Amino acid sequence: MALGDIALCARALVMIGAAPIVSFEDDTAEAEVAGMLYPAIRDGVLAAYPWRFAARGAWLARRTGSGEGGDDAPDAGEGRFVLPGDFIRLLSLETEGGAVPEFELVQGAVRCAADRAYLRYVGRMAEGAFPAFFDLALITRLAAEFCVPLTESTTRAEYLFKRAEDQFRAARLADAQQSTPRAIGDFTLIGARG
């Protein structure tokens, strides 16, 4: 069953014994805490691991012109490429010739010495597209984060953070099993063994 942002928060609230919400606009402490913390926690959990289900790829558009201040102007021989709006975490940066050896993320763009750049990244996505294993990890992390502001129980929060780490580990394992592992190709140490 696909869960939206409100359903994920409502389940987390139930885990800590608080009343579930039906909207972030509810006139309750639960809705206020969930509305304030949810986006950052969701993005943080997405950024914490190179999730296969959230991996995206795109050729980047070159930034035209320069903004205010000298830091925004590219160095000689370097270009700036605009990051996608759903960008959360960079996985790799490539060009037609392979991996880009040096790059830097600067003010919503990536700076590198390349004419074109292909970005592999973790992107923000609709909550309804999250797999069940990620939903459970996110719900448990939300419960841990919501616990102290709503219950003032640091003991319960510590327990929930430990549970959240366990769920995160299980979600990483499930995500890693969603494709065939990459084989190690030509590796010089293996060849040196003789």
Side-chain angles (χ1 to χ4, degrees), residues 49-54 131 133 170-179:
Y49 181 74
W51 302 103
R52 293 178 194 272
F53 71 86
F133 60 81
R172 286 191 334 237
L173 178 61
D175 188 65
Q177 295 172 342
Q178 300 302 307
S179 67

Side-chain angles (χ1 to χ4, degrees), residues 66-82:
S66 63
E68 305 283 325
D71 189 50
D72 198 38
D75 296 334
E78 288 191 335
R80 287 220 181 179
F81 299 91
V82 180

